[in-house]
Amino acid sequence: KQEVTQIPAALSVPEGENLVLNCSFTDSAIYNLQWFRQDPGKGLTSLLLIQSSQREQTSGRLNASLDKSSGRSTLYIAASQPGDSATYLCAAMDTGRRALTFGSGTRLQVQP
Amino acid sequence: DTAVSQTPKYLVTQMGNDKSIKCEQNLGHDTMYWYKQDSKKFLKIMFSYNNKELIINETVPNRFSPKSPDKAHLNLHINSLELGDSAVYFCASSPQTVKSYEQYFGPGTRLTVT
């Protein structure tokens, strides 16, 4: 059974810093890995999706990497802004059922 | 132009009642899902449907019954509500393409059972 872990659980940084959020998964037989953002009391917004055959994806100031063999993914946020404050969730999609297994999230606070 | 919508957004009800949550997607996707986010913010898959056919049915009490009248709708009916059912329920959809099964989430329904 897939298990997804995110470290750290919470992170507070000053505005302008570059930061890395970590995600690890126990079963490397994944179809893809998605990173989401969740604002308090809101739904999930998809940020990046990395297919199992890919190593990384980039969107603006965000870069996500995937190392299937080691069961790890990272989300890199460049030049953080207060508007980046949210909970970031990673989720691994299994190859059979196409269901996502979520980590517990990293709560990010960017201080102005 | 909402992609995945859910109604209601908030639902407060008493133990023992029966309630339904509706979900609709206008993305033309073939697969729809229900996820539950508990008080610790942990998201877990409950059900998925592909073209009205049940694909995933996790270990969920049979008081929960999904219904898909067509591939754009997946409703969740809950019988005999219990305190532990209080959570946020998210609907999601995804295309069935070789390139991507990217999931798109609705805004969630916050269910409070008193």
Side-chain angles (χ1 to χ4, degrees):
Chain A
K1 183 182 174 184
Q2 179 76 273
E3 292 183 6
V4 179
T5 304
Q6 290 187 247
I7 295 173
L11 183 61
S12 182
V13 300
E15 182 176 4
E17 266 202 16
N18 302 325
L19 57 101
V20 175
L21 308 182
N22 296 294
C23 172
S24 61
F25 46 95
T26 54
D27 186 350
S28 62
I30 62 170
Y31 190 81
N32 63 40
L33 187 132
Q34 273 188 262
W35 282 92
F36 294 88
R37 169 187 172 136
Q38 185 175 27
D39 293 283
K42 304 285 187 182
L44 278 70
T45 301
S46 179
L47 298 173
L48 289 165
L49 180 148
I50 313 176
Q51 299 289 0
S52 62
S53 59
Q54 297 175 323
R55 299 283 293 183
E56 65 177 346
Q57 281 285 341
T58 298
S59 176
R61 294 181 294 109
L62 304 180
N63 176 279
S65 68
L66 175 65
D67 184 343
K68 258 182 48 173
S69 59
S70 66
R72 291 181 182 176
S73 177
T74 61
L75 179 66
Y76 175 81
I77 303 177
S80 58
Q81 303 170 357
D84 294 332
S85 299
T87 295
Y88 290 80
L89 296 160
C90 79
M93 178 174 282
D94 62 72
T95 54
R97 303 177 312 158
R98 305 279 192 261
L100 289 173
T101 300
F102 281 85
S104 53
T106 294
R107 191 171 66 252
L108 173 65
Q109 183 76 31
V110 181
Q111 309 287 350
Chain B
D1 60 346
T2 303
V4 182
S5 60
Q6 296 179 227
T7 53
K9 187 168 184 180
Y10 300 97
L11 183 55
V12 181
T13 188
Q14 291 184 330
M15 285 175 55
N17 285 347
D18 303 338
K19 290 293 179 186
S20 291
I21 306 172
K22 295 186 177 182
C23 177
E24 177 181 4
Q25 54 94 5
N26 62 6
L27 298 167
H29 290 168
D30 298 298
T31 306
M32 296 185 72
Y33 309 81
W34 278 109
Y35 288 86
K36 177 181 180 180
Q37 188 171 41
D38 60 26
S39 57
K40 296 183 179 179
K41 307 298 185 187
F42 208 63
L43 266 159
K44 283 189 177 178
I45 182 75
M46 297 175 70
F47 302 102
S48 81
Y49 269 74
N50 183 27
N51 279 321
K52 303 195 297 175
E53 180 184 352
L54 181 65
I55 301 298
I56 298 173
N57 184 353
E58 285 295 277
T59 309
V60 176
N62 57 16
R63 298 182 294 104
F64 291 79
S65 53
K67 286 188 171 45
S68 182
D70 55 62
K71 77 172 193 177
H73 296 84
L74 180 61
N75 304 323
L76 184 64
H77 189 76
I78 315 170
N79 290 327
S80 303
L81 278 155
E82 300 177 356
L83 292 176
D85 297 332
S86 295
V88 181
Y89 292 85
F90 287 99
C91 176
S93 72
S94 73
Q96 288 285 359
T97 67
V98 174
K99 287 189 177 181
S100 169
Y101 287 87
E102 184 172 5
Q103 293 192 14
Y104 298 78
F105 281 74
T109 295
R110 182 174 295 275
L111 171 65
T112 303
V113 182
T114 62

